[in-house]
Each structure stands twice: as structure tokens, then as C-alpha cells.
Amino acid sequence: MRTLVVGSGGREHALVWKLAQSKDIDKIYCAPGNGGICDIAECADIKAEDVGGLLDFALRQKIELTVVGPEAPLASGIVDKFNAKGIRIFGPTSAAAQIESSKVFMKSLMKRHNIPTADFEVFTSSASAKDYVKGLPASGGKHKFVVKADGLAAGKGVVVCTTKEEGLTAIDDIMEKKIFKDAGNKVIIEECLEGEEASIIAVTDGEDAVPLASAQDHKRVYDGDKGPNTGGMGAYSPAPAVSAETLGGIMKDIISPTIDAMLKEGIQYKGVLYAGLMLTASGPKVLEFNCRFGDPETQAILPRLKNDLVDLIDASIDDEIDLFSLEWDARPCVSVVVASGGYPGEYKTGFEIEGLEGLKRLKDVYIFHAGTKKAGDKFITSGGRVLNVTALGSDIKDAIYRCYNAVNLIEFEGMHFRRDIGYRALNRAKSGGNNG
Ligand code: AMP
Ligand code: GLY
């Protein structure tokens, strides 16, 4: 089978790597891909957002299966357009992708169907949003609330506020200065939830769903969850905070009701449904839904998946998820993001990455490239998040140890990474808790 993977990050490298092991695949293209992906797939210089260009390419190259990484092409209807031409593609239609592309759509759907999430209000003018913030009562002498742009903002449209001033500034930025353009035509202001975060990524055919192994991301740039939010600085799987019982509850109370709710409202949701959750004292609540695989969670999940990924994708497309059972490597997996100096703020690129060759000898260590490109036989940095260094281990401590041993072999100018990826799972293991 001839396959096309759309995207250029660490998630797409992990998808291409896993698909390359499938019994059904003879040829993989990736558009646009990155330096690492080019080693195992043929990269085509078409941007992930260029749905027309991707469609022409797929027709020309007789692509038989397309797998989409990022949300933007899903939101702008790549699945609808490929389906209209009879090209097999894995993912939600543009109507279904609204679960990620419009937070107002997502929150209203959850409210109508009693799916657990933070209490919220929607605002269509900055004046009314500001009045609301000014009138918010303090709790225990403190303020804590969250301002969110309605539309896609590359993961940056959420501001957790601890003062009214922060809230007013966020509203100004989003609704008046339009820093996320039309994504800021509406805002949501919601209750701040407390607890531990976890990601559950399910694959669905629109009726039934199977969860992938749980994972936990680390969104803040510095150790101890300090500093600004990023696209994700590392992940591990499984997330021991999600016991088998908790996972059962998440499927029953959140994932299945969401898919059913969409169906009742006339939208069949197919593909990946990613729930970003807060595990609160009163149970798991939805922070966000994404219509795609998580990044960097996918890099920590796929090395543990024993099934052929194409079989899972086929089950989603062909409405056979109810017959599907997933098998996992019991060993935990840790993936650390190595980023360019300055990320998530401004950073320079174009530096040579050293040490990659030596990593090839390490067993159960995988390097998924994100912002890299190839120059001759060298790799150079070309983005904010550069590499995802990933390792399996006999337990979480061993996985962390093996992962950082690999990270320490890599060098490029200005590189930085968090040194505490997996700390929550490690603390839990030390205190004798469930190790997933
Ligand atoms: P999102 O892009 O919606 O996942 O939000 C990014 C991050 O903001 C989440 O991973 C949380 O850390 C935080 N966040 C979002 N909504 C809330 C909330 N209601 N309460 C507390 N933290 C939140
Ligand atoms: N890991 C967060 C995301 O994929 O949106």
C-alpha cells in the first residue's frame, strides 16, 4: 500500500516509524516531513496546510491511505476533500474537527450532554468579557480563572490567570489586538480546575472507541512545571495517575458520551479523539479535546504499541473498532524534547546536531526528529522543538535513566531540555503507588 503522512513534527516521525513496520505498507511519503523522517520516507515539499496541494499529490502518486498529524488540515476539511475523491484517509471531517477548532462548539456540546468539564461562559465582545472578569468574586482572597481564545491558536490561546489584571490583558490581546487573528473573535472564561493532568487518546469509528495507553505531557518550559507553556517538553506512558478504573470511567463518562453526542447532533466522529483531562478531586474533567494524535504523547505511546498501526486505522475507517483489541508492551516509555535555545520564545536555527550516530547503537532508544533538516549527511536544527529522545525501560526509573543517558550524548549550540520528565510517575513509584 502507498501511504502519505501529513505533518513535520516528532509526532509524524513516530507515526512514519510505526507505519514503516506495517505488513501492509510498501511505500511511505511524508509532506512536508523533516530531516529524520526523510531517512525512512520520501518527503514531499508541500505544507501541511496546503490541502489542495496534498490532494493533487495524493492523486498523482496514487496514495491509498493518508494519515494526518496536525489539526489545521483536519479543521480545513482535508478528510472531506479526500473522501470526495475516494481516497482513503484517517481522521475526522471538518465538522467533526470542530471539537478542537472551536472551543465554543466543544464546551457547548459538553454542556448540552452533561459531559464533565470546567464551568464556563462565552463572550463575543471584549467589553462584556472584561465586565465579567471585573465582577468575578475572589475565592479564599485569590483569583484563579482561565481565558481561552475560541479558535485554533497553535496551543497558545489559553491563559491561566491569577489576577483580574492578567485576565483583562489576556482579553485585550485576544479580542482587541487579535494576536491569534479570528481565533479571538470569541473567548471563553472558565473555572480553573485543580489536579493532575493526563491525556487519553482514543481511536473511534464514530460509534465505538478504544483508548490508547495513557500518557502525561509536560507543557511548561522549565523543571517543576515553571515558566511559559510550550507545545510540550516531554511525555511518558503509561500515566500511573490513570488507573484501569479511572480509564474505564473516562471511557464511560467522557469519550463514549462525546462520540454519541456528536452522532446525535448529526456528526459521525471518526479518527483520533484526544481528551486533555484534569484529574480533579471530583473525578476527571475535560480541559480540551483535540481531533488528532497528541504531540509529544504519541512519541511515548507508539513504541509501546504491539499492534500493526494500519490495522487500527483500518478498523476506524471501516467501522470495526468494536472488534479491535490493543496490545501493549508493559514497559514504560519516556520521551524528552530537546529544544533550541530561547524556545518557546525567539530562537536561532541552523546549528549542526552532533552525537546522533552514536545513539543508533542504543537498544530500545528512538530519536524522533521535530525541527531538523538534512544538509548532506548532517542534521541541522530548523525549529523550536528539535528532537524527541525516547527510551523504553524495565520500570519508570530505568526508562528515565536510559532516556537521559541518550539525551546527554546529543549536542547542539544553545540546546535546552527539562531534566525532570516523568517526575510525577517516579514520585508515585517511590511512594509505592500504582506504576501502571
Ligand atoms: P489547552 O490548550 O486547552 O489544553 O490548555 C493548555 C493548558 O492550560 C492545559 O494543559 C492546562 O495546563 C491549562 N488549562 C486549560 N484549561 C484549564 C482549566 N480550566 N483549569 C486549569 N488549567 C487549565
Ligand atoms: N500534547 C498536547 C497536544 O498535543 O496538544
Side-chain angles (χ1 to χ4, degrees), residues 278-292:
M278 189 70 90
L279 307 174
T280 74
S282 54
K285 293 190 179 178
V286 177
L287 294 174
E288 61 164 345
F289 275 119
N290 294 320
C291 62
R292 48 159 177 89

mmCIF file with all atom_site columns, all heavy atoms in Angstrom, residues 278-292:
data_model
loop_
_atom_site.group_PDB
_atom_site.id
_atom_site.type_symbol
_atom_site.label_atom_id
_atom_site.label_alt_id
_atom_site.label_comp_id
_atom_site.label_asym_id
_atom_site.label_entity_id
_atom_site.label_seq_id
_atom_site.pdbx_PDB_ins_code
_atom_site.Cartn_x
_atom_site.Cartn_y
_atom_site.Cartn_z
_atom_site.occupancy
_atom_site.B_iso_or_equiv
_atom_site.pdbx_formal_charge
_atom_site.auth_seq_id
_atom_site.auth_comp_id
_atom_site.auth_asym_id
_atom_site.auth_atom_id
_atom_site.pdbx_PDB_model_num
ATOM 1   N N   . MET A 1 278 ? -8.164  16.980 33.413 1.00 0.00 ? 278 MET A N   1
ATOM 2   C CA  . MET A 1 278 ? -7.677  17.277 34.759 1.00 0.00 ? 278 MET A CA  1
ATOM 3   C C   . MET A 1 278 ? -8.307  16.233 35.667 1.00 0.00 ? 278 MET A C   1
ATOM 4   O O   . MET A 1 278 ? -9.536  16.059 35.667 1.00 0.00 ? 278 MET A O   1
ATOM 5   C CB  . MET A 1 278 ? -8.097  18.688 35.178 1.00 0.00 ? 278 MET A CB  1
ATOM 6   C CG  . MET A 1 278 ? -7.459  19.144 36.470 1.00 0.00 ? 278 MET A CG  1
ATOM 7   S SD  . MET A 1 278 ? -5.682  19.456 36.247 1.00 0.00 ? 278 MET A SD  1
ATOM 8   C CE  . MET A 1 278 ? -5.682  21.183 35.794 1.00 0.00 ? 278 MET A CE  1
ATOM 9   N N   . LEU A 1 279 ? -7.469  15.515 36.414 1.00 0.00 ? 279 LEU A N   1
ATOM 10  C CA  . LEU A 1 279 ? -7.985  14.513 37.342 1.00 0.00 ? 279 LEU A CA  1
ATOM 11  C C   . LEU A 1 279 ? -8.271  15.242 38.654 1.00 0.00 ? 279 LEU A C   1
ATOM 12  O O   . LEU A 1 279 ? -7.388  15.440 39.479 1.00 0.00 ? 279 LEU A O   1
ATOM 13  C CB  . LEU A 1 279 ? -6.962  13.388 37.533 1.00 0.00 ? 279 LEU A CB  1
ATOM 14  C CG  . LEU A 1 279 ? -6.455  12.747 36.223 1.00 0.00 ? 279 LEU A CG  1
ATOM 15  C CD1 . LEU A 1 279 ? -5.344  11.743 36.493 1.00 0.00 ? 279 LEU A CD1 1
ATOM 16  C CD2 . LEU A 1 279 ? -7.605  12.081 35.461 1.00 0.00 ? 279 LEU A CD2 1
ATOM 17  N N   . THR A 1 280 ? -9.499  15.719 38.808 1.00 0.00 ? 280 THR A N   1
ATOM 18  C CA  . THR A 1 280 ? -9.842  16.551 39.968 1.00 0.00 ? 280 THR A CA  1
ATOM 19  C C   . THR A 1 280 ? -10.340 15.655 41.104 1.00 0.00 ? 280 THR A C   1
ATOM 20  O O   . THR A 1 280 ? -10.612 14.465 40.897 1.00 0.00 ? 280 THR A O   1
ATOM 21  C CB  . THR A 1 280 ? -10.959 17.571 39.632 1.00 0.00 ? 280 THR A CB  1
ATOM 22  O OG1 . THR A 1 280 ? -12.206 16.854 39.544 1.00 0.00 ? 280 THR A OG1 1
ATOM 23  C CG2 . THR A 1 280 ? -10.691 18.299 38.334 1.00 0.00 ? 280 THR A CG2 1
ATOM 24  N N   . ALA A 1 281 ? -10.494 16.272 42.279 1.00 0.00 ? 281 ALA A N   1
ATOM 25  C CA  . ALA A 1 281 ? -10.983 15.517 43.437 1.00 0.00 ? 281 ALA A CA  1
ATOM 26  C C   . ALA A 1 281 ? -12.387 14.969 43.159 1.00 0.00 ? 281 ALA A C   1
ATOM 27  O O   . ALA A 1 281 ? -12.778 13.944 43.710 1.00 0.00 ? 281 ALA A O   1
ATOM 28  C CB  . ALA A 1 281 ? -10.991 16.421 44.664 1.00 0.00 ? 281 ALA A CB  1
ATOM 29  N N   . SER A 1 282 ? -13.133 15.645 42.271 1.00 0.00 ? 282 SER A N   1
ATOM 30  C CA  . SER A 1 282 ? -14.471 15.120 41.952 1.00 0.00 ? 282 SER A CA  1
ATOM 31  C C   . SER A 1 282 ? -14.489 14.381 40.609 1.00 0.00 ? 282 SER A C   1
ATOM 32  O O   . SER A 1 282 ? -15.513 14.321 39.939 1.00 0.00 ? 282 SER A O   1
ATOM 33  C CB  . SER A 1 282 ? -15.515 16.233 42.002 1.00 0.00 ? 282 SER A CB  1
ATOM 34  O OG  . SER A 1 282 ? -15.108 17.293 41.178 1.00 0.00 ? 282 SER A OG  1
ATOM 35  N N   . GLY A 1 283 ? -13.335 13.830 40.220 1.00 0.00 ? 283 GLY A N   1
ATOM 36  C CA  . GLY A 1 283 ? -13.284 12.986 39.022 1.00 0.00 ? 283 GLY A CA  1
ATOM 37  C C   . GLY A 1 283 ? -12.657 13.699 37.839 1.00 0.00 ? 283 GLY A C   1
ATOM 38  O O   . GLY A 1 283 ? -12.434 14.924 37.882 1.00 0.00 ? 283 GLY A O   1
ATOM 39  N N   . PRO A 1 284 ? -12.356 12.955 36.756 1.00 0.00 ? 284 PRO A N   1
ATOM 40  C CA  . PRO A 1 284 ? -11.724 13.554 35.582 1.00 0.00 ? 284 PRO A CA  1
ATOM 41  C C   . PRO A 1 284 ? -12.653 14.532 34.871 1.00 0.00 ? 284 PRO A C   1
ATOM 42  O O   . PRO A 1 284 ? -13.844 14.260 34.729 1.00 0.00 ? 284 PRO A O   1
ATOM 43  C CB  . PRO A 1 284 ? -11.456 12.335 34.674 1.00 0.00 ? 284 PRO A CB  1
ATOM 44  C CG  . PRO A 1 284 ? -11.561 11.133 35.546 1.00 0.00 ? 284 PRO A CG  1
ATOM 45  C CD  . PRO A 1 284 ? -12.517 11.489 36.636 1.00 0.00 ? 284 PRO A CD  1
ATOM 46  N N   . LYS A 1 285 ? -12.094 15.683 34.486 1.00 0.00 ? 285 LYS A N   1
ATOM 47  C CA  . LYS A 1 285 ? -12.870 16.675 33.731 1.00 0.00 ? 285 LYS A CA  1
ATOM 48  C C   . LYS A 1 285 ? -12.071 17.083 32.496 1.00 0.00 ? 285 LYS A C   1
ATOM 49  O O   . LYS A 1 285 ? -10.847 17.127 32.535 1.00 0.00 ? 285 LYS A O   1
ATOM 50  C CB  . LYS A 1 285 ? -13.143 17.909 34.592 1.00 0.00 ? 285 LYS A CB  1
ATOM 51  C CG  . LYS A 1 285 ? -14.062 17.597 35.758 1.00 0.00 ? 285 LYS A CG  1
ATOM 52  C CD  . LYS A 1 285 ? -14.510 18.862 36.456 1.00 0.00 ? 285 LYS A CD  1
ATOM 53  C CE  . LYS A 1 285 ? -15.442 18.493 37.611 1.00 0.00 ? 285 LYS A CE  1
ATOM 54  N NZ  . LYS A 1 285 ? -15.874 19.676 38.361 1.00 0.00 ? 285 LYS A NZ  1
ATOM 55  N N   . VAL A 1 286 ? -12.794 17.425 31.426 1.00 0.00 ? 286 VAL A N   1
ATOM 56  C CA  . VAL A 1 286 ? -12.145 17.748 30.154 1.00 0.00 ? 286 VAL A CA  1
ATOM 57  C C   . VAL A 1 286 ? -11.594 19.181 30.178 1.00 0.00 ? 286 VAL A C   1
ATOM 58  O O   . VAL A 1 286 ? -12.330 20.125 30.468 1.00 0.00 ? 286 VAL A O   1
ATOM 59  C CB  . VAL A 1 286 ? -13.147 17.613 28.989 1.00 0.00 ? 286 VAL A CB  1
ATOM 60  C CG1 . VAL A 1 286 ? -12.499 18.027 27.675 1.00 0.00 ? 286 VAL A CG1 1
ATOM 61  C CG2 . VAL A 1 286 ? -13.675 16.187 28.909 1.00 0.00 ? 286 VAL A CG2 1
ATOM 62  N N   . LEU A 1 287 ? -10.297 19.326 29.872 1.00 0.00 ? 287 LEU A N   1
ATOM 63  C CA  . LEU A 1 287 ? -9.710  20.651 29.665 1.00 0.00 ? 287 LEU A CA  1
ATOM 64  C C   . LEU A 1 287 ? -9.843  21.035 28.201 1.00 0.00 ? 287 LEU A C   1
ATOM 65  O O   . LEU A 1 287 ? -10.095 22.174 27.857 1.00 0.00 ? 287 LEU A O   1
ATOM 66  C CB  . LEU A 1 287 ? -8.216  20.640 30.014 1.00 0.00 ? 287 LEU A CB  1
ATOM 67  C CG  . LEU A 1 287 ? -7.826  20.412 31.469 1.00 0.00 ? 287 LEU A CG  1
ATOM 68  C CD1 . LEU A 1 287 ? -6.312  20.289 31.584 1.00 0.00 ? 287 LEU A CD1 1
ATOM 69  C CD2 . LEU A 1 287 ? -8.330  21.556 32.340 1.00 0.00 ? 287 LEU A CD2 1
ATOM 70  N N   . GLU A 1 288 ? -9.622  20.054 27.358 1.00 0.00 ? 288 GLU A N   1
ATOM 71  C CA  . GLU A 1 288 ? -9.682  20.311 25.918 1.00 0.00 ? 288 GLU A CA  1
ATOM 72  C C   . GLU A 1 288 ? -9.864  18.992 25.194 1.00 0.00 ? 288 GLU A C   1
ATOM 73  O O   . GLU A 1 288 ? -9.528  17.929 25.723 1.00 0.00 ? 288 GLU A O   1
ATOM 74  C CB  . GLU A 1 288 ? -8.372  20.946 25.437 1.00 0.00 ? 288 GLU A CB  1
ATOM 75  C CG  . GLU A 1 288 ? -7.178  20.035 25.685 1.00 0.00 ? 288 GLU A CG  1
ATOM 76  C CD  . GLU A 1 288 ? -5.907  20.391 24.917 1.00 0.00 ? 288 GLU A CD  1
ATOM 77  O OE1 . GLU A 1 288 ? -5.984  21.174 23.961 1.00 0.00 ? 288 GLU A OE1 1
ATOM 78  O OE2 . GLU A 1 288 ? -4.851  19.866 25.277 1.00 0.00 ? 288 GLU A OE2 1
ATOM 79  N N   . PHE A 1 289 ? -10.416 19.086 23.991 1.00 0.00 ? 289 PHE A N   1
ATOM 80  C CA  . PHE A 1 289 ? -10.377 17.944 23.082 1.00 0.00 ? 289 PHE A CA  1
ATOM 81  C C   . PHE A 1 289 ? -9.507  18.323 21.898 1.00 0.00 ? 289 PHE A C   1
ATOM 82  O O   . PHE A 1 289 ? -9.529  19.461 21.438 1.00 0.00 ? 289 PHE A O   1
ATOM 83  C CB  . PHE A 1 289 ? -11.778 17.623 22.553 1.00 0.00 ? 289 PHE A CB  1
ATOM 84  C CG  . PHE A 1 289 ? -12.594 16.744 23.466 1.00 0.00 ? 289 PHE A CG  1
ATOM 85  C CD1 . PHE A 1 289 ? -13.795 17.198 23.987 1.00 0.00 ? 289 PHE A CD1 1
ATOM 86  C CD2 . PHE A 1 289 ? -12.168 15.468 23.789 1.00 0.00 ? 289 PHE A CD2 1
ATOM 87  C CE1 . PHE A 1 289 ? -14.565 16.384 24.819 1.00 0.00 ? 289 PHE A CE1 1
ATOM 88  C CE2 . PHE A 1 289 ? -12.930 14.645 24.616 1.00 0.00 ? 289 PHE A CE2 1
ATOM 89  C CZ  . PHE A 1 289 ? -14.124 15.108 25.133 1.00 0.00 ? 289 PHE A CZ  1
ATOM 90  N N   . ASN A 1 290 ? -8.751  17.354 21.408 1.00 0.00 ? 290 ASN A N   1
ATOM 91  C CA  . ASN A 1 290 ? -8.042  17.538 20.155 1.00 0.00 ? 290 ASN A CA  1
ATOM 92  C C   . ASN A 1 290 ? -8.533  16.479 19.177 1.00 0.00 ? 290 ASN A C   1
ATOM 93  O O   . ASN A 1 290 ? -8.947  15.388 19.589 1.00 0.00 ? 290 ASN A O   1
ATOM 94  C CB  . ASN A 1 290 ? -6.532  17.415 20.348 1.00 0.00 ? 290 ASN A CB  1
ATOM 95  C CG  . ASN A 1 290 ? -5.987  18.547 21.217 1.00 0.00 ? 290 ASN A CG  1
ATOM 96  O OD1 . ASN A 1 290 ? -6.415  19.691 21.085 1.00 0.00 ? 290 ASN A OD1 1
ATOM 97  N ND2 . ASN A 1 290 ? -5.077  18.232 22.109 1.00 0.00 ? 290 ASN A ND2 1
ATOM 98  N N   . CYS A 1 291 ? -8.441  16.812 17.893 1.00 0.00 ? 291 CYS A N   1
ATOM 99  C CA  . CYS A 1 291 ? -9.007  15.907 16.884 1.00 0.00 ? 291 CYS A CA  1
ATOM 100 C C   . CYS A 1 291 ? -7.916  15.082 16.217 1.00 0.00 ? 291 CYS A C   1
ATOM 101 O O   . CYS A 1 291 ? -8.075  14.637 15.102 1.00 0.00 ? 291 CYS A O   1
ATOM 102 C CB  . CYS A 1 291 ? -9.774  16.723 15.853 1.00 0.00 ? 291 CYS A CB  1
ATOM 103 S SG  . CYS A 1 291 ? -8.754  17.896 14.950 1.00 0.00 ? 291 CYS A SG  1
ATOM 104 N N   . ARG A 1 292 ? -6.810  14.862 16.934 1.00 0.00 ? 292 ARG A N   1
ATOM 105 C CA  . ARG A 1 292 ? -5.598  14.274 16.343 1.00 0.00 ? 292 ARG A CA  1
ATOM 106 C C   . ARG A 1 292 ? -4.758  13.650 17.436 1.00 0.00 ? 292 ARG A C   1
ATOM 107 O O   . ARG A 1 292 ? -5.063  13.792 18.617 1.00 0.00 ? 292 ARG A O   1
ATOM 108 C CB  . ARG A 1 292 ? -4.816  15.408 15.688 1.00 0.00 ? 292 ARG A CB  1
ATOM 109 C CG  . ARG A 1 292 ? -4.735  16.562 16.711 1.00 0.00 ? 292 ARG A CG  1
ATOM 110 C CD  . ARG A 1 292 ? -3.675  17.534 16.527 1.00 0.00 ? 292 ARG A CD  1
ATOM 111 N NE  . ARG A 1 292 ? -3.775  18.592 17.536 1.00 0.00 ? 292 ARG A NE  1
ATOM 112 C CZ  . ARG A 1 292 ? -3.198  18.560 18.714 1.00 0.00 ? 292 ARG A CZ  1
ATOM 113 N NH1 . ARG A 1 292 ? -2.475  17.515 19.097 1.00 0.00 ? 292 ARG A NH1 1
ATOM 114 N NH2 . ARG A 1 292 ? -3.335  19.550 19.563 1.00 0.00 ? 292 ARG A NH2 1
#
